[in-house]
Amino acid sequence: MSGFAGPIRELVEQLARLPGIGEKTATRLAYHILKMNAEDAKRLAGAITGVKERIALCERCFQLTDIQPCEICRDENRDHTMVCVVEQPPDVAAFEKTGQYRGVYHVLHGTLSPLDDIGPEALRLAELVERVRSGVVTEIVLATNPNKEGESTAHYIAEVLHELPVRVTRIAHGVPVGSEVEYADAVTLGLAMKGRREF
Ligand SMILES: [Zn+2]
């Protein structure tokens, strides 16, 4: 990357490390940032350091949050007996967008994937069992993605929870098979939650 002044080269290199951003796009973004006024550039830099400094996992549901516990976990108007188990933090946002789910969540941060060496201990499964054991939870809604990994993870969790006094349900297949919860539209996801069945 010759022909770039050092600081520009550094910016291009850092931007190019982001997913989906090649060197060409990184260069374009770097020039765009260069043309921003100082205040906007500072705000952008501040937003990046801000998420790293202030965002952590909720100690209860493992959603990303800047307060402990997170806004959803601390909301007394929500149904804390019902826990929707999702793969990743953006899935929570997807269900919240439906406006129809009033329970709380549990974010696994992944799915079981033996080929990638991801076993149960890599997910927040022990914490889920602990939440169920605490006695408040009466229903676990498995909302992992309807693909191979999501299905096998749902089956595994159902097996683990089998002995415990909790109802285990799975969201309906309103979410197209092979697709992801995060990208399902709010209406589809709302119906999938409504049509959940015993698992
Ligand atoms: Zn939480």
Side-chain angles (χ1 to χ4, degrees):
M1 239 185 287
S2 53
F4 286 114
I8 299 177
R9 191 165 58 224
E10 167 71 8
L11 181 57
V12 172
E13 276 172 11
Q14 293 308 318
L15 290 169
R17 292 173 66 181
L18 298 171
I21 308 243
E23 198 183 309
K24 206 167 151 191
T25 306
T27 306
R28 199 157 44 86
L29 289 172
Y31 276 104
H32 180 80
I33 291 167
L34 206 54
K35 278 191 281 182
M36 277 178 170
N37 64 49
E39 204 176 299
D40 284 345
K42 247 190 208 139
R43 205 171 293 147
L44 175 62
I48 292 171
T49 48
V51 292
K52 289 310 288 179
E53 281 164 10
R54 298 207 304 272
I55 298 295
L57 298 181
C58 170
E59 58 200 15
R60 209 173 292 169
C61 73
F62 303 98
Q63 166 67 323
L64 298 167
T65 180
D66 59 344
I67 46 172
Q68 287 296 353
C70 74
E71 248 172 82
I72 293 173
C73 284
R74 67 170 57 203
D75 188 345
E76 284 171 13
N77 292 318
R78 298 193 73 120
D79 181 0
H80 290 264
T81 67
M82 191 169 172
V83 176
C84 176
V85 178
V86 297
E87 292 181 15
Q88 300 289 355
D91 300 337
V92 172
F95 275 108
E96 286 301 284
K97 233 189 275 170
T98 69
Q100 290 178 33
Y101 180 66
R102 296 303 301 160
V104 293
Y105 298 91
H106 191 90
V107 185
L108 294 172
H109 291 273
T111 45
L112 296 175
S113 181
L115 289 178
D116 301 316
D117 232 6
I118 303 175
E121 64 293 333
L123 308 178
R124 298 288 180 171
L125 275 175
E127 290 90 341
L128 178 64
V129 172
E130 204 41 58
R131 279 181 88 176
V132 173
R133 283 222 172 96
S134 76
V136 182
V137 182
T138 57
E139 179 175 350
I140 292 287
V141 186
L142 299 171
T144 50
N145 292 322
N147 53 28
K148 207 172 116 228
E149 290 80 17
E151 287 298 344
S152 63
T153 304
H155 279 285
Y156 182 85
I157 296 172
E159 220 175 279
V160 169
L161 297 176
H162 184 68
E163 301 281 287
L164 297 168
V166 69
R167 183 181 174 211
V168 179
T169 56
R170 176 94 172 103
I171 54 166
H173 280 296
V175 180
V177 174
S179 71
E180 289 178 20
V181 164
E182 182 185 350
Y183 303 111
D185 66 88
V187 175
T188 305
L189 214 48
L191 288 173
M193 177 58 78
K194 235 186 205 157
R196 69 186 187 280
R197 53 183 166 71
E198 302 299 324
F199 191 65

